Amino acid sequence: MMIRSTHTLVRPNKSIRFYDEVEEASDEYKGYIYNNFIKNKRMIKSEKSLSEDGLTLTTIMLWDNEDSFLDLCTDEFLFNDRIHKVNVYNVTNGIQSDVFVTKVE
Amino acid sequence: MTELFDPHSNEWLLNKFEYYKKLRALDQAYYSNKYRLYVITRHKDVVNALSDHSSFSSANGNLIVEDDTRFNLTLGASDNPIHDIYKDIAKNAYAKSNIERIGNFYRQKVRDSLVGKSTFNLSDIVDHTTCWATAEILNLPVDKEVIKNLILGIQRHSNFCVQHDTDPFYMVELNKIILKCCANRVPAQGPGIYSEFVNNNPKKVRVTSLFTGPTISGASSLTGAVEFLILDLYRQGQVEKLLNDRSLIPFAINEALRFNSTTGRFSRTVTKELHLHGVDLKPGDRVGLCLESANRDEEEFQNADQFDINRKAGQLAFGHGLHACIALAISKHLMYVFLEEFLNIVGNYKVVTGNEELTYVMTASGNDDMISNIIVEKI
C-alpha cells in the first residue's frame, strides 16, 4: 500500500539556515537515492515547500510502501554520508524535526 | 605482550589490574600508540577529568575506539547544551516510578531463568534477562519478545558492540520499528523511553540513539556488572555471609562495582592546554579515563585489591559528574533484584570456570567488560 511521508523542519527564525542551504547533498548521495529509490519507483514523488513565514520547510514524499520509506531512513550509506550531519545540525541549531506517515487510499 | 593498555586482548583483560598498577606507578601517563590516547589511571586524575567537562570534552566521543557518526548524537558523545536536551527527554524513563515496574518484571524473568537449574551458563542467563529489562526500559508499543531478541542480536552482532561476527541486521530492524512507531504516531503503552520520546520531546529531537544507547552501552554494562557480582562474591568467599544476612546485599553490590567496574574506560578529548599525570596535554589530545583502575587506586582505597563487603566508600563504576550514568539507580536496583533471586533460588554455588579460563567478550568500543563463559554449579 502506498504511503505519504511528511517531514517538517521548523527553525526558530530566518537567520538560521536549513541544512540544505548550508551544504548541498553530494553527487554520490543524490545518485544513490536515484538508483535505489527513484529509478525503481520505490520513491514515487517528492515535493518541498516553505511556509509563508519562512520558518517551516515541509517535504512530502510518496512511497510505494512503508518498507521503502523505512529502508531510506535506516540506510547505512545515507546515514553516514549525510543524515547524521543533518541530525546534529538540527539539534545544535534548535530546528525541530518531525515525520509522520499516512496511508494513501 | 608489549602493550600496557589493550582492552581488546583477553590476556590483558585477565591481568588488567596488574597492568593498571604499573600504569599508575609511571612518572608520566602512558601513551597508547594503538589507541592513540593517554591512559589516565590514578583516582584523583580520573575524577578531575570527569568533573571538568569544559577541559575534557565528550563531543568527539567517549569510547576508546570511536565512530564519528555518534558525535553529538548520543548522550555519552555530547557536551552541553546538547547533552541536557537528550537527558531531559530520557530521564523520566529512569525515574523511581519506572524502576519499580521494570524491577518487578525483571524479577520474574530472573526467576524463570534460574528455577530448576543445577549447572548453568550464568553469562547466557544474564544476557537474556538484561535484554528483557532493556526492552522494558524502551517500552516500544510492539511485541516485547521481538524487541528483546533484537537487543540480544545487537549485543552479539552490532559493530557498536562486538569486534567479530558483526551483522547490522538487528540494529537496522530496531531502528525501523522505532521510526515506524514514531511516524505512525502509535500511542505509548506505558512509561519508558518511547513514551518520553513521543510525549516529552518539546524540541522534537529525532535522535534514535536515545533508544539504541540503552541497547548498546546500557545492556552491556548491566550484563557485565551482574556477571562480576556473582563471580566475585564466589571468588572472594562472600556467598555464605550474604545467605545469612541479606541486609548486606547493597554493600556487596557497591563493593562489587568498585572491585570490577564493568564499564572500565571512557575517552575524552582535551580542549585546552593542561598538565596531567606528568604530561603536558594540548587541545585535540585524547585521554582514556580508566574507571576500573581508579577504583583500585591504593591512594584512594585502603587495601584496594581486597574485596571488603563492609567498605563504605564511593566508587566510579557509573562515571562521575555531568556524564554520570543516567541508568545508575535502575542498574543498582536490577543488580539487587538479580542477586536476591539468585540467593533465594540457587543458594550456595560455585563457579566452575577457572579464573584463567574466562573468555571476555571483545567489545568494539573497548569500554565494557563482559564474560561469555561463566559456568555456575549449585552446591
Side-chain angles (χ1 to χ4, degrees), chain B residues 199-215:
Chain B
N199 299 321
N200 179 33
N201 188 353
K203 292 180 190 294
K204 292 196 178 352
V205 171
R206 295 294 156 193
V207 173
T208 54
S209 72
L210 295 175
F211 294 89
T212 52
T215 70

mmCIF file with all atom_site columns, all heavy atoms in Angstrom, chain B residues 199-215:
data_model
loop_
_atom_site.group_PDB
_atom_site.id
_atom_site.type_symbol
_atom_site.label_atom_id
_atom_site.label_alt_id
_atom_site.label_comp_id
_atom_site.label_asym_id
_atom_site.label_entity_id
_atom_site.label_seq_id
_atom_site.pdbx_PDB_ins_code
_atom_site.Cartn_x
_atom_site.Cartn_y
_atom_site.Cartn_z
_atom_site.occupancy
_atom_site.B_iso_or_equiv
_atom_site.pdbx_formal_charge
_atom_site.auth_seq_id
_atom_site.auth_comp_id
_atom_site.auth_asym_id
_atom_site.auth_atom_id
_atom_site.pdbx_PDB_model_num
ATOM 1   N N   . ASN B 1 199 ? 6.111  11.882 23.896 1.00 0.00 ? 199 ASN B N   1
ATOM 2   C CA  . ASN B 1 199 ? 5.276  12.792 24.701 1.00 0.00 ? 199 ASN B CA  1
ATOM 3   C C   . ASN B 1 199 ? 6.054  13.866 25.452 1.00 0.00 ? 199 ASN B C   1
ATOM 4   O O   . ASN B 1 199 ? 5.479  14.819 25.947 1.00 0.00 ? 199 ASN B O   1
ATOM 5   C CB  . ASN B 1 199 ? 4.467  11.983 25.726 1.00 0.00 ? 199 ASN B CB  1
ATOM 6   C CG  . ASN B 1 199 ? 3.532  11.000 25.057 1.00 0.00 ? 199 ASN B CG  1
ATOM 7   O OD1 . ASN B 1 199 ? 2.935  11.328 24.035 1.00 0.00 ? 199 ASN B OD1 1
ATOM 8   N ND2 . ASN B 1 199 ? 3.414  9.802  25.601 1.00 0.00 ? 199 ASN B ND2 1
ATOM 9   N N   . ASN B 1 200 ? 7.363  13.680 25.615 1.00 0.00 ? 200 ASN B N   1
ATOM 10  C CA  . ASN B 1 200 ? 8.154  14.628 26.405 1.00 0.00 ? 200 ASN B CA  1
ATOM 11  C C   . ASN B 1 200 ? 9.354  15.096 25.590 1.00 0.00 ? 200 ASN B C   1
ATOM 12  O O   . ASN B 1 200 ? 10.480 15.020 26.030 1.00 0.00 ? 200 ASN B O   1
ATOM 13  C CB  . ASN B 1 200 ? 8.617  13.934 27.709 1.00 0.00 ? 200 ASN B CB  1
ATOM 14  C CG  . ASN B 1 200 ? 9.467  14.841 28.575 1.00 0.00 ? 200 ASN B CG  1
ATOM 15  O OD1 . ASN B 1 200 ? 9.252  16.056 28.597 1.00 0.00 ? 200 ASN B OD1 1
ATOM 16  N ND2 . ASN B 1 200 ? 10.435 14.274 29.257 1.00 0.00 ? 200 ASN B ND2 1
ATOM 17  N N   . ASN B 1 201 ? 9.042  15.560 24.406 1.00 0.00 ? 201 ASN B N   1
ATOM 18  C CA  . ASN B 1 201 ? 10.116 15.895 23.475 1.00 0.00 ? 201 ASN B CA  1
ATOM 19  C C   . ASN B 1 201 ? 9.757  17.211 22.780 1.00 0.00 ? 201 ASN B C   1
ATOM 20  O O   . ASN B 1 201 ? 9.505  17.240 21.579 1.00 0.00 ? 201 ASN B O   1
ATOM 21  C CB  . ASN B 1 201 ? 10.271 14.747 22.466 1.00 0.00 ? 201 ASN B CB  1
ATOM 22  C CG  . ASN B 1 201 ? 11.465 14.889 21.567 1.00 0.00 ? 201 ASN B CG  1
ATOM 23  O OD1 . ASN B 1 201 ? 12.155 15.905 21.571 1.00 0.00 ? 201 ASN B OD1 1
ATOM 24  N ND2 . ASN B 1 201 ? 11.717 13.865 20.769 1.00 0.00 ? 201 ASN B ND2 1
ATOM 25  N N   . PRO B 1 202 ? 9.705  18.315 23.572 1.00 0.00 ? 202 PRO B N   1
ATOM 26  C CA  . PRO B 1 202 ? 9.188  19.571 23.011 1.00 0.00 ? 202 PRO B CA  1
ATOM 27  C C   . PRO B 1 202 ? 9.997  20.086 21.832 1.00 0.00 ? 202 PRO B C   1
ATOM 28  O O   . PRO B 1 202 ? 9.460  20.765 20.960 1.00 0.00 ? 202 PRO B O   1
ATOM 29  C CB  . PRO B 1 202 ? 9.263  20.542 24.201 1.00 0.00 ? 202 PRO B CB  1
ATOM 30  C CG  . PRO B 1 202 ? 10.219 19.938 25.167 1.00 0.00 ? 202 PRO B CG  1
ATOM 31  C CD  . PRO B 1 202 ? 10.114 18.456 24.971 1.00 0.00 ? 202 PRO B CD  1
ATOM 32  N N   . LYS B 1 203 ? 11.305 19.767 21.809 1.00 0.00 ? 203 LYS B N   1
ATOM 33  C CA  . LYS B 1 203 ? 12.127 20.246 20.686 1.00 0.00 ? 203 LYS B CA  1
ATOM 34  C C   . LYS B 1 203 ? 12.074 19.289 19.495 1.00 0.00 ? 203 LYS B C   1
ATOM 35  O O   . LYS B 1 203 ? 12.764 19.478 18.510 1.00 0.00 ? 203 LYS B O   1
ATOM 36  C CB  . LYS B 1 203 ? 13.574 20.414 21.146 1.00 0.00 ? 203 LYS B CB  1
ATOM 37  C CG  . LYS B 1 203 ? 13.760 21.550 22.154 1.00 0.00 ? 203 LYS B CG  1
ATOM 38  C CD  . LYS B 1 203 ? 15.213 21.656 22.565 1.00 0.00 ? 203 LYS B CD  1
ATOM 39  C CE  . LYS B 1 203 ? 15.392 22.601 23.745 1.00 0.00 ? 203 LYS B CE  1
ATOM 40  N NZ  . LYS B 1 203 ? 15.077 23.994 23.430 1.00 0.00 ? 203 LYS B NZ  1
ATOM 41  N N   . LYS B 1 204 ? 11.247 18.247 19.642 1.00 0.00 ? 204 LYS B N   1
ATOM 42  C CA  . LYS B 1 204 ? 11.084 17.245 18.573 1.00 0.00 ? 204 LYS B CA  1
ATOM 43  C C   . LYS B 1 204 ? 12.445 16.768 18.052 1.00 0.00 ? 204 LYS B C   1
ATOM 44  O O   . LYS B 1 204 ? 12.740 16.806 16.844 1.00 0.00 ? 204 LYS B O   1
ATOM 45  C CB  . LYS B 1 204 ? 10.221 17.782 17.442 1.00 0.00 ? 204 LYS B CB  1
ATOM 46  C CG  . LYS B 1 204 ? 8.755  17.986 17.844 1.00 0.00 ? 204 LYS B CG  1
ATOM 47  C CD  . LYS B 1 204 ? 7.912  18.126 16.625 1.00 0.00 ? 204 LYS B CD  1
ATOM 48  C CE  . LYS B 1 204 ? 6.431  18.283 16.869 1.00 0.00 ? 204 LYS B CE  1
ATOM 49  N NZ  . LYS B 1 204 ? 5.892  18.132 18.179 1.00 0.00 ? 204 LYS B NZ  1
ATOM 50  N N   . VAL B 1 205 ? 13.259 16.326 18.971 1.00 0.00 ? 205 VAL B N   1
ATOM 51  C CA  . VAL B 1 205 ? 14.567 15.795 18.610 1.00 0.00 ? 205 VAL B CA  1
ATOM 52  C C   . VAL B 1 205 ? 14.386 14.372 18.105 1.00 0.00 ? 205 VAL B C   1
ATOM 53  O O   . VAL B 1 205 ? 13.841 13.521 18.810 1.00 0.00 ? 205 VAL B O   1
ATOM 54  C CB  . VAL B 1 205 ? 15.504 15.814 19.837 1.00 0.00 ? 205 VAL B CB  1
ATOM 55  C CG1 . VAL B 1 205 ? 16.794 15.069 19.539 1.00 0.00 ? 205 VAL B CG1 1
ATOM 56  C CG2 . VAL B 1 205 ? 15.798 17.244 20.255 1.00 0.00 ? 205 VAL B CG2 1
ATOM 57  N N   . ARG B 1 206 ? 14.789 14.144 16.860 1.00 0.00 ? 206 ARG B N   1
ATOM 58  C CA  . ARG B 1 206 ? 14.602 12.805 16.274 1.00 0.00 ? 206 ARG B CA  1
ATOM 59  C C   . ARG B 1 206 ? 15.941 12.076 16.256 1.00 0.00 ? 206 ARG B C   1
ATOM 60  O O   . ARG B 1 206 ? 16.569 11.930 15.211 1.00 0.00 ? 206 ARG B O   1
ATOM 61  C CB  . ARG B 1 206 ? 14.033 12.928 14.860 1.00 0.00 ? 206 ARG B CB  1
ATOM 62  C CG  . ARG B 1 206 ? 12.660 13.520 14.808 1.00 0.00 ? 206 ARG B CG  1
ATOM 63  C CD  . ARG B 1 206 ? 11.617 12.615 15.456 1.00 0.00 ? 206 ARG B CD  1
ATOM 64  N NE  . ARG B 1 206 ? 10.468 13.400 15.911 1.00 0.00 ? 206 ARG B NE  1
ATOM 65  C CZ  . ARG B 1 206 ? 9.538  12.922 16.717 1.00 0.00 ? 206 ARG B CZ  1
ATOM 66  N NH1 . ARG B 1 206 ? 9.602  11.698 17.172 1.00 0.00 ? 206 ARG B NH1 1
ATOM 67  N NH2 . ARG B 1 206 ? 8.540  13.685 17.105 1.00 0.00 ? 206 ARG B NH2 1
ATOM 68  N N   . VAL B 1 207 ? 16.377 11.705 17.429 1.00 0.00 ? 207 VAL B N   1
ATOM 69  C CA  . VAL B 1 207 ? 17.663 11.034 17.543 1.00 0.00 ? 207 VAL B CA  1
ATOM 70  C C   . VAL B 1 207 ? 17.440 9.659  18.153 1.00 0.00 ? 207 VAL B C   1
ATOM 71  O O   . VAL B 1 207 ? 17.109 9.527  19.338 1.00 0.00 ? 207 VAL B O   1
ATOM 72  C CB  . VAL B 1 207 ? 18.634 11.873 18.404 1.00 0.00 ? 207 VAL B CB  1
ATOM 73  C CG1 . VAL B 1 207 ? 19.909 11.123 18.677 1.00 0.00 ? 207 VAL B CG1 1
ATOM 74  C CG2 . VAL B 1 207 ? 18.948 13.184 17.704 1.00 0.00 ? 207 VAL B CG2 1
ATOM 75  N N   . THR B 1 208 ? 17.566 8.632  17.326 1.00 0.00 ? 208 THR B N   1
ATOM 76  C CA  . THR B 1 208 ? 17.201 7.299  17.796 1.00 0.00 ? 208 THR B CA  1
ATOM 77  C C   . THR B 1 208 ? 18.221 6.704  18.765 1.00 0.00 ? 208 THR B C   1
ATOM 78  O O   . THR B 1 208 ? 17.991 5.647  19.328 1.00 0.00 ? 208 THR B O   1
ATOM 79  C CB  . THR B 1 208 ? 16.992 6.323  16.615 1.00 0.00 ? 208 THR B CB  1
ATOM 80  O OG1 . THR B 1 208 ? 18.158 6.358  15.800 1.00 0.00 ? 208 THR B OG1 1
ATOM 81  C CG2 . THR B 1 208 ? 15.780 6.689  15.793 1.00 0.00 ? 208 THR B CG2 1
ATOM 82  N N   . SER B 1 209 ? 19.329 7.403  18.977 1.00 0.00 ? 209 SER B N   1
ATOM 83  C CA  . SER B 1 209 ? 20.300 6.878  19.952 1.00 0.00 ? 209 SER B CA  1
ATOM 84  C C   . SER B 1 209 ? 19.712 6.832  21.353 1.00 0.00 ? 209 SER B C   1
ATOM 85  O O   . SER B 1 209 ? 20.215 6.109  22.209 1.00 0.00 ? 209 SER B O   1
ATOM 86  C CB  . SER B 1 209 ? 21.565 7.731  19.957 1.00 0.00 ? 209 SER B CB  1
ATOM 87  O OG  . SER B 1 209 ? 21.307 8.974  20.563 1.00 0.00 ? 209 SER B OG  1
ATOM 88  N N   . LEU B 1 210 ? 18.651 7.609  21.605 1.00 0.00 ? 210 LEU B N   1
ATOM 89  C CA  . LEU B 1 210 ? 18.020 7.526  22.928 1.00 0.00 ? 210 LEU B CA  1
ATOM 90  C C   . LEU B 1 210 ? 17.444 6.129  23.149 1.00 0.00 ? 210 LEU B C   1
ATOM 91  O O   . LEU B 1 210 ? 17.255 5.696  24.283 1.00 0.00 ? 210 LEU B O   1
ATOM 92  C CB  . LEU B 1 210 ? 16.936 8.599  23.077 1.00 0.00 ? 210 LEU B CB  1
ATOM 93  C CG  . LEU B 1 210 ? 17.471 10.038 23.053 1.00 0.00 ? 210 LEU B CG  1
ATOM 94  C CD1 . LEU B 1 210 ? 16.341 11.044 23.082 1.00 0.00 ? 210 LEU B CD1 1
ATOM 95  C CD2 . LEU B 1 210 ? 18.420 10.292 24.215 1.00 0.00 ? 210 LEU B CD2 1
ATOM 96  N N   . PHE B 1 211 ? 17.160 5.427  22.061 1.00 0.00 ? 211 PHE B N   1
ATOM 97  C CA  . PHE B 1 211 ? 16.717 4.033  22.154 1.00 0.00 ? 211 PHE B CA  1
ATOM 98  C C   . PHE B 1 211 ? 17.901 3.078  22.045 1.00 0.00 ? 211 PHE B C   1
ATOM 99  O O   . PHE B 1 211 ? 18.013 2.116  22.791 1.00 0.00 ? 211 PHE B O   1
ATOM 100 C CB  . PHE B 1 211 ? 15.737 3.696  21.014 1.00 0.00 ? 211 PHE B CB  1
ATOM 101 C CG  . PHE B 1 211 ? 14.433 4.429  21.090 1.00 0.00 ? 211 PHE B CG  1
ATOM 102 C CD1 . PHE B 1 211 ? 14.290 5.662  20.480 1.00 0.00 ? 211 PHE B CD1 1
ATOM 103 C CD2 . PHE B 1 211 ? 13.365 3.894  21.775 1.00 0.00 ? 211 PHE B CD2 1
ATOM 104 C CE1 . PHE B 1 211 ? 13.094 6.347  20.551 1.00 0.00 ? 211 PHE B CE1 1
ATOM 105 C CE2 . PHE B 1 211 ? 12.163 4.569  21.844 1.00 0.00 ? 211 PHE B CE2 1
ATOM 106 C CZ  . PHE B 1 211 ? 12.024 5.801  21.236 1.00 0.00 ? 211 PHE B CZ  1
ATOM 107 N N   . THR B 1 212 ? 18.756 3.358  21.070 1.00 0.00 ? 212 THR B N   1
ATOM 108 C CA  . THR B 1 212 ? 19.825 2.388  20.819 1.00 0.00 ? 212 THR B CA  1
ATOM 109 C C   . THR B 1 212 ? 20.930 2.474  21.876 1.00 0.00 ? 212 THR B C   1
ATOM 110 O O   . THR B 1 212 ? 21.624 1.494  22.114 1.00 0.00 ? 212 THR B O   1
ATOM 111 C CB  . THR B 1 212 ? 20.421 2.571  19.410 1.00 0.00 ? 212 THR B CB  1
ATOM 112 O OG1 . THR B 1 212 ? 20.780 3.933  19.227 1.00 0.00 ? 212 THR B OG1 1
ATOM 113 C CG2 . THR B 1 212 ? 19.414 2.174  18.351 1.00 0.00 ? 212 THR B CG2 1
ATOM 114 N N   . GLY B 1 213 ? 21.076 3.636  22.515 1.00 0.00 ? 213 GLY B N   1
ATOM 115 C CA  . GLY B 1 213 ? 22.065 3.763  23.595 1.00 0.00 ? 213 GLY B CA  1
ATOM 116 C C   . GLY B 1 213 ? 21.863 2.721  24.687 1.00 0.00 ? 213 GLY B C   1
ATOM 117 O O   . GLY B 1 213 ? 22.792 1.960  25.013 1.00 0.00 ? 213 GLY B O   1
ATOM 118 N N   . PRO B 1 214 ? 20.644 2.625  25.241 1.00 0.00 ? 214 PRO B N   1
ATOM 119 C CA  . PRO B 1 214 ? 20.420 1.592  26.263 1.00 0.00 ? 214 PRO B CA  1
ATOM 120 C C   . PRO B 1 214 ? 20.630 0.168  25.752 1.00 0.00 ? 214 PRO B C   1
ATOM 121 O O   . PRO B 1 214 ? 21.029 -0.715 26.506 1.00 0.00 ? 214 PRO B O   1
ATOM 122 C CB  . PRO B 1 214 ? 18.947 1.795  26.661 1.00 0.00 ? 214 PRO B CB  1
ATOM 123 C CG  . PRO B 1 214 ? 18.625 3.180  26.265 1.00 0.00 ? 214 PRO B CG  1
ATOM 124 C CD  . PRO B 1 214 ? 19.476 3.503  25.074 1.00 0.00 ? 214 PRO B CD  1
ATOM 125 N N   . THR B 1 215 ? 20.383 -0.036 24.455 1.00 0.00 ? 215 THR B N   1
ATOM 126 C CA  . THR B 1 215 ? 20.549 -1.400 23.934 1.00 0.00 ? 215 THR B CA  1
ATOM 127 C C   . THR B 1 215 ? 22.023 -1.737 23.715 1.00 0.00 ? 215 THR B C   1
ATOM 128 O O   . THR B 1 215 ? 22.386 -2.899 23.661 1.00 0.00 ? 215 THR B O   1
ATOM 129 C CB  . THR B 1 215 ? 19.811 -1.594 22.582 1.00 0.00 ? 215 THR B CB  1
ATOM 130 O OG1 . THR B 1 215 ? 20.489 -0.851 21.581 1.00 0.00 ? 215 THR B OG1 1
ATOM 131 C CG2 . THR B 1 215 ? 18.383 -1.153 22.656 1.00 0.00 ? 215 THR B CG2 1
#
